[in-house]
Amino acid sequence: EEEFGMDLIPVGMQFYRCGILYPDINLLGADKKHPTRAGYFLTAGCIYQKIFGVQPVISKEMLQHAEISKEEAGQLLGLWGTGITSNQVEVLLHKGEKAVMEMNIPESVSGTKVRFSSMDENVAVVDGISGEITAVSGGMTIIMAETIEGWQTYCTVYVPYDRPTEITTSIKTAVKEDGQNITSVILRWKKQPGAKYEVYRSKSQKGPYTLLGKTRKRKFEDTTAAPGQTWYYKIAAVNGYSACKSKKSQETAVVVP
């Protein structure tokens, strides 16, 4: 809610919790996509309780078309409550660094067991019991904490990529139909899983370096490098999150004949 600046209603989590606690209540239709009337009842109950802060009073009129019993209605409305939360919504860790996902557990669910898991263990792993997170490699992952009753909370982990290394260069010359030579610079570097790359160029070793292009590959061809000039290049590994961007590589000089 803080991240997006709006109220969020975790209806999906309550559907999930219902499947754990009350598996006999069918919330989805035959296509497994659209809710049954019980599913719509749960959705409406979540919205009501978010707005008014209390459970609606169950009446015969309310259940007339819900196709559930009064007991089942009470079970569905009782799913709403104060769940677990994490003290960290997001955390920035460098490779090898550790952090603990600290939990806020209300009295209503005190004593429950919490299990932790990472959605991408290539980026960060987490101890399933203690919640200790260890950064593995560059990228973004989400750490989920879940109780046996289905309460869930999340922490986003950002790990900056390593500075690109093992940069190699080569010169490619092609001949146009009119006989004119076209020279380009080919750059290659060591791949990092999940990364995209930004290529920077300068006429001076000390810069400034301007962004030349972006690529998903670990290869880039500069077709605009004028001949008779020494060009300097730097590479940065990126993804869609600024916190994951690496430092620029060491400069690589290329003499274009």
Side-chain angles (χ1 to χ4, degrees), residues 134-153:
T134 304
V136 176
S137 63
M140 183 279 291
T141 186
I142 295 175
I143 305 299
M144 181 177 74
E146 181 179 3
T147 71
I148 57 176
E149 299 88 2
W151 287 112
Q152 299 171 344
T153 191

Side-chain angles (χ1 to χ4, degrees), residues 90-108:
E90 56 184 18
V91 62
L92 173 66
L93 296 175
H94 291 81
K95 189 165 65 174
E97 290 184 341
K98 299 178 182 291
V100 176
M101 188 173 175
E102 299 177 350
M103 304 303 302
N104 296 315
I105 302 178
E107 292 184 3
S108 58

Side-chain angles (χ1 to χ4, degrees), residues 100-126:
V100 176
M101 188 173 175
E102 299 177 350
M103 304 303 302
N104 296 315
I105 302 178
E107 292 184 3
S108 58
V109 291
S110 62
T112 189
K113 293 182 179 180
V114 180
R115 297 289 297 180
F116 300 88
S117 61
S118 171
M119 294 187 180
D120 189 346
E121 294 188 341
N122 292 317
V123 175
V125 296
V126 62

Side-chain angles (χ1 to χ4, degrees), residues 1-8 88-91 140-142 154-158 240-241:
E1 296 186 359
E2 293 179 0
E3 180 179 356
F4 296 103
M6 63 181 70
D7 287 339
L8 301 178
Q88 303 104 314
V89 177
E90 56 184 18
V91 62
M140 183 279 291
T141 186
I142 295 175
Y154 304 89
C155 175
T156 303
V157 178
Y158 303 101
Y241 305 95

